[in-house]
Amino acid sequence: MAIRLGDSAPNFTAQTTEGEVDFHQWLGDSWGVLFSHPADFTPVCTTELGKMKGEFAQRNVKVLAVSVDPLGAHRGWVEDINETQACTVNFPIIADPERRVALAYDMIHPNADDKATVRSVFIIGPDKKVKLTITYPASTGRSFAEILRVIDSLQLTAKHKVATPADWKDGQDCIVAPAVSDDDAARLFPKGVRKIKPYLRYTPQPNR
Ligand code: BEZ
């Protein structure tokens, strides 16, 4: 079944390159990113897994990859990734040969490929609710800068009554949430509110 924003992220237990993981327990109070790879020993996926550096941990985000190949293949592939991408893969990769996780998260789109997964991304909050989904085709590697940008926005808007405009990056002005009155905005955002239209009000990023 399709997974929509606000849904509870399906829980599962799975074998990974770092041992057995109970997904919800493993997440604990952290944010999480679950992302799928069409197959091991494929070039685009190899470049993607080499990109997962410390930026996720700095944001209290745990990263978990899934591929429908078995654990032995994952182990050999991790060696290749470390060698070719000059990195050390330090997050678990789920072995999902029975496609339990792939099916629970609707990662197999039969009209694209009936065996391999598409490139799915799920961002999951500490409340275990799905906060973002993105689906890329197998032939397009993901932008991890974009995924980090969305995490910054999600973590900010979870704590402050703001939204973030197009192409926003951490540190830039935010939009005052439409439900906030002008009086409340003046109180909530002491750095100032710039009103362009009644529905378009900017304020400096409140947590900076
Ligand atoms: C890749 O990861 O390189 C890939 C996987 C499936 C189809 C095309 C590319």
Side-chain angles (χ1 to χ4, degrees), residues 92-103:
I93 305 175
I94 298 169
D96 194 30
E98 291 162 359
R99 304 183 198 180
R100 285 187 304 115
V101 175
L103 291 173

Side-chain angles (χ1 to χ4, degrees), residues 37-48 77 113 116-117 119 137-142:
H37 291 279
D40 293 7
F41 301 106
T42 50
V44 176
C45 298
T46 298
T47 62
E48 287 186 317
W77 186 34
D113 189 316
T117 64
R119 275 179 216 288
S139 51
T140 304
R142 283 163 274 224

Side-chain angles (χ1 to χ4, degrees), residues 2-203:
I3 295 187
R4 296 176 175 172
L5 302 193
D7 288 357
S8 291
N11 195 24
F12 56 80
T13 54
Q15 295 302 322
T16 80
T17 49
E18 312 269 324
E20 186 171 282
V21 162
D22 174 302
F23 186 44
H24 285 190
Q25 205 172 54
W26 176 83
L27 280 173
D29 295 329
S30 299
W31 290 72
V33 177
L34 174 67
F35 61 114
S36 59
H37 291 279
D40 293 7
F41 301 106
T42 50
V44 176
C45 298
T46 298
T47 62
E48 287 186 317
L49 287 172
K51 295 275 180 216
M52 312 299 287
K53 305 255 159 63
E55 291 99 330
F56 288 90
Q58 281 163 21
R59 291 164 170 82
N60 188 32
V61 179
K62 290 185 172 176
V63 171
L64 185 58
V66 56
S67 157
V68 295
D69 286 324
L71 209 48
H74 285 4
R75 295 221 162 96
W77 186 34
V78 165
E79 284 181 21
D80 279 7
I81 297 165
N82 289 345
E83 178 197 326
T84 61
Q85 308 303 307
C87 67
T88 305
V89 172
N90 61 357
F91 53 86
I93 305 175
I94 298 169
D96 194 30
E98 291 162 359
R99 304 183 198 180
R100 285 187 304 115
V101 175
L103 291 173
Y105 279 82
D106 197 28
M107 292 166 166
I108 294 180
H109 297 195
N111 291 326
D113 189 316
D114 60 358
K115 292 193 184 67
T117 64
V118 290
R119 275 179 216 288
S120 302
V121 182
F122 293 89
I123 298 179
I124 292 149
D127 57 0
K128 313 291 182 292
K129 303 281 189 209
V130 175
K131 307 294 183 186
L132 167 131
T133 66
I134 315 179
T135 306
Y136 295 78
S139 51
T140 304
R142 283 163 274 224
S143 164
F144 288 96
E146 169 61 3
I147 294 166
L148 289 165
R149 191 190 75 85
V150 177
I151 289 168
D152 287 339
S153 173
L154 285 167
Q155 293 185 338
L156 174 69
T157 59
K159 290 217 168 111
H160 300 274
K161 292 184 175 176
V162 293
T164 58
D167 294 336
W168 173 87
K169 289 203 182 83
D170 190 37
Q172 295 180 344
D173 285 357
C174 301
I175 288 173
V176 176
V180 176
S181 69
D182 283 349
D183 284 351
D184 285 347
R187 188 174 48 78
L188 287 171
F189 305 113
K191 291 178 196 162
V193 174
R194 192 161 45 92
K195 189 170 175 178
I196 312 294
K197 292 277 182 192
Y199 58 85
L200 180 58
R201 298 165 295 171
Y202 288 94
T203 189

